[in-house]
Amino acid sequence: MVQVVNVKNTGLRGVTVADTKISFIDGEKGVLIYRGYRIEELAEHSTFMEVAYLLLHGSLPGRKEIEEFEKQVREARGLPEYMCESFRKWPKDAKPMDVLQASVPLLAMSDPDLFNEGRDANVRMALRLIARLPAVAAAWQRIRNGLEPLPPDRALSHAANFLWQLHGKKPDEEAARYLDICLILHADHTFNASTFACREVVSTRAHMYAGVAAGIGALSGSLHGGANAEVMKMLLELEAEKDVPGWVSARLEKGERIMGMGHAVYKTMDPRAKYLKQMAKRLGEKTGKKWQDLSSQVEKAGLEEFRRRGKPEIQPNVDFYSAPVYHMMGIPRDLMTPIFAISRVSGWCSHIIEEKFAEAQEKPALYRPQAEYVGNYCGLMGCEYEPMQQRGQQASEIFG
Ligand code: ACO
């Protein structure tokens, strides 16, 4: 017997819906762990490929395992030719997140494992998605600018190859490493909106690609992954602003949000933001650009203003400093959220596999919440249908 719990309009905050072994957040202390490992340790010492392996398989790879995994990802990087043919016909002003989302079912169409319900088949599909989403983002950036997509370079690491396919220039080691760290930091985050969307979709036994397409859609929103592009918009607007605290205060006064600040789980600074803040500082020193200074001014003004308003828990989240970091790396504003997606796909796929193959006692059920009906209701058995000829000119004459 299911006990009815009313949590309406809470966005399910504080509601536990499943078990997971993939990641853990301590929102009070500002801690994020992937499969038992703190993200700071992973960002310092590992690579995105290692982290993707860790998330998918549950343990860190040995040397042979990571070599094999990386080899498979490098070999899977190419896009089927029909995809680029199709992209060339798409409107050039299509948003990269829409292109990324639309490309997922296109990729599904030629995946030989699509209807293989085995765990290994799902891991192979995950690997192909991790390999190919960066290629989609890079191909779209080139095609919309009238350029030909570039073939992947198997000699390059995951992050370096993406930058090569995007810019047509081999990146220096430091730039590739910075991007790799960004990918590590964005790889997973428990039951956030997009991961929940993925898990909800595959709880119906839909395939992995259907789940990932839903995840990309959910990530695109400005309250979730889309916030990084909004942060950059805000920083660009503020470039010539002399009174940053005044701007922040006026914005809050109007009831608008400071993008990149606040979080549904963290009540202190997001640990990923701490790391990205340092990276923004190093990149600022290297490139001579002052975006980190401007971000720090907004952060300081925001913290003061939120404290004054009795909301000290509203602090920078991952998107606050990833935006200036990507900007200083030469990433266009509307490609910032796709970069989030090309990292998070590793977490989404791991959650999809967990959702599909959890052990019997932890097996989640088909998600099926309920809503309270507050619409029209005429009588005990509902409204009596009136054929068109008996209705007035407008239905509103009947329903008001
Ligand atoms: N600026 C202004 N006010 C804020 C902000 C903010 N950045 N964040 C929260 N608040 C206020 C809300 O207006 C609300 O005020 P009210 O109670 O007076 O109505 C209160 O704090 C609670 O906000 P909610 O959205 O109801 O709940 P939550 O704390 O869970 O919000 C959220 C989390 C949606 C991320 C919010 O902080 C926000 O909108 N931030 C800006 C967008 C953003 O950066 N999103 C990325 C999040 S990280 C990620 O998804 C990758």
Side-chain angles (χ1 to χ4, degrees):
M1 179 72 176
V2 174
Q3 196 194 341
V4 176
V5 183
N6 193 334
V7 289
K8 65 180 183 178
N9 304 333
T10 62
L12 298 181
R13 302 284 193 286
V15 178
T16 301
V17 294
D19 289 334
T20 184
K21 293 178 177 158
I22 299 172
S23 58
F24 166 75
I25 302 170
D26 183 329
E28 300 293 330
K29 296 197 179 111
V31 172
L32 170 60
I33 282 169
Y34 298 161
R35 299 278 192 191
Y37 298 92
R38 287 180 79 129
I39 49 141
E40 291 85 354
E41 290 271 312
L42 294 168
E44 208 57 53
H45 305 295
S46 76
T47 62
F48 175 64
M49 282 292 98
E50 256 190 88
V51 165
Y53 183 101
L54 171 70
L55 291 172
L56 281 171
H57 293 281
S59 58
L60 283 171
R63 195 174 300 278
K64 270 224 165 87
E65 288 157 331
I66 195 64
E67 277 171 14
E68 183 54 27
F69 185 75
E70 282 214 60
K71 181 168 163 277
Q72 288 171 359
V73 173
R74 284 173 198 230
E75 283 169 1
R77 279 176 187 161
L79 295 178
E81 188 40 41
Y82 65 82
M83 291 196 58
C84 289
E85 274 172 30
S86 167
F87 291 165
R88 285 187 192 96
K89 296 180 184 133
W90 291 6
K92 296 284 180 288
D93 57 355
K95 294 284 161 250
M97 276 304 271
D98 290 332
V99 170
L100 201 65
Q101 187 179 18
S103 73
V104 173
L106 290 181
L107 286 170
M109 288 170 199
S110 58
D111 193 309
D113 285 309
L114 192 60
F115 293 108
N116 183 341
E117 268 304 314
R119 188 192 176 94
D120 290 349
N122 274 274
V123 172
R124 288 194 295 274
M125 286 191 275
L127 193 143
R128 290 182 197 114
L129 276 158
I130 292 168
R132 292 177 184 164
L133 287 194
V136 169
W140 180 247
Q141 171 65 3
R142 293 187 66 83
I143 288 174
R144 71 174 172 169
N145 285 306
L147 300 166
E148 270 306 292
L150 291 167
D153 183 338
R154 284 192 191 169
L156 295 177
S157 72
H158 194 67
N161 179 65
F162 171 67
L163 291 171
W164 147 247
Q165 288 196 282
L166 185 71
H167 297 311
K169 202 168 115 245
K170 304 269 160 81
D172 64 47
E173 242 177 65
E174 199 180 16
R177 177 61 187 151
Y178 279 165
L179 181 61
D180 201 59
I181 294 173
C182 292
L183 298 181
I184 293 171
L185 295 174
H186 287 80
D188 196 51
H189 212 232
T190 74
F191 270 58
N192 57 85
S194 56
T195 301
F196 185 53
C198 293
R199 292 190 68 135
E200 192 274 321
V201 167
V202 303
S203 81
T204 69
R205 299 194 183 170
H207 54 61
M208 175 171 276
Y209 286 84
V212 168
I216 295 175
L219 189 76
S220 68
S222 63
L223 293 188
H224 190 14
N228 56 13
E230 293 301 314
V231 170
M232 201 58 230
K233 188 170 166 219
M234 173 178 79
L235 293 178
L236 290 165
E237 267 173 45
L238 281 171
E239 212 180 344
E241 177 62 57
K242 297 270 178 293
D243 178 15
V244 172
W247 184 91
V248 167
S249 168
R251 191 170 169 113
L252 292 177
E253 215 44 63
K254 281 188 270 174
E256 289 173 14
R257 298 194 176 207
I258 305 299
M259 303 314 277
M261 294 191 79
H263 199 275
V265 184
Y266 294 115
K267 300 299 161 220
T268 181
M269 190 162 170
D270 181 331
R272 302 165 299 175
K274 276 190 199 159
Y275 209 95
L276 288 160
K277 184 176 180 175
Q278 290 168 21
M279 193 186 281
K281 191 162 182 289
R282 289 201 295 273
L283 268 171
E285 283 156 8
K286 187 177 166 195
T287 60
K289 292 178 186 159
K290 295 294 173 229
W291 296 104
Q292 198 271 334
D293 292 347
L294 188 52
S295 307
S296 292
Q297 284 181 50
V298 180
E299 179 191 349
K300 187 164 173 282
L303 288 176
E304 273 168 22
E305 198 59 35
F306 286 126
R307 216 174 290 130
R308 204 175 63 77
R309 289 163 187 254
K311 290 178 181 167
E313 72 284 2
I314 302 181
Q315 302 204 19
N317 62 49
V318 68
D319 295 312
F320 194 80
Y321 282 103
S322 68
V325 161
Y326 293 149
H327 186 73
M328 287 187 272
M329 283 180 185
I331 305 287
R333 196 168 73 81
D334 63 0
L335 275 186
M336 292 178 180
T337 315
I339 291 182
F340 195 150
I342 67 181
S343 162
R344 184 58 59 84
V345 68
S346 59
W348 289 334
C349 292
S350 305
H351 278 272
I352 288 171
I353 290 169
E354 187 173 69
E355 183 77 31
K356 283 178 177 282
F357 301 100
E359 287 150 27
Q361 72 275 18
E362 293 161 350
K363 187 117 189 95
L366 167 76
Y367 289 101
R368 206 322 181 177
Q370 59 192 49
E372 190 170 340
Y373 181 65
V374 292
N376 280 321
Y377 202 89
C378 330
L380 198 59
M381 300 304 289
C383 297
E384 201 170 305
Y385 180 83
E386 286 199 299
M388 184 62 80
Q389 50 289 13
Q390 287 172 26
R391 276 179 248 162
Q393 280 298 94
Q394 291 184 6
S396 59
E397 285 175 24
I398 303 172
F399 291 115

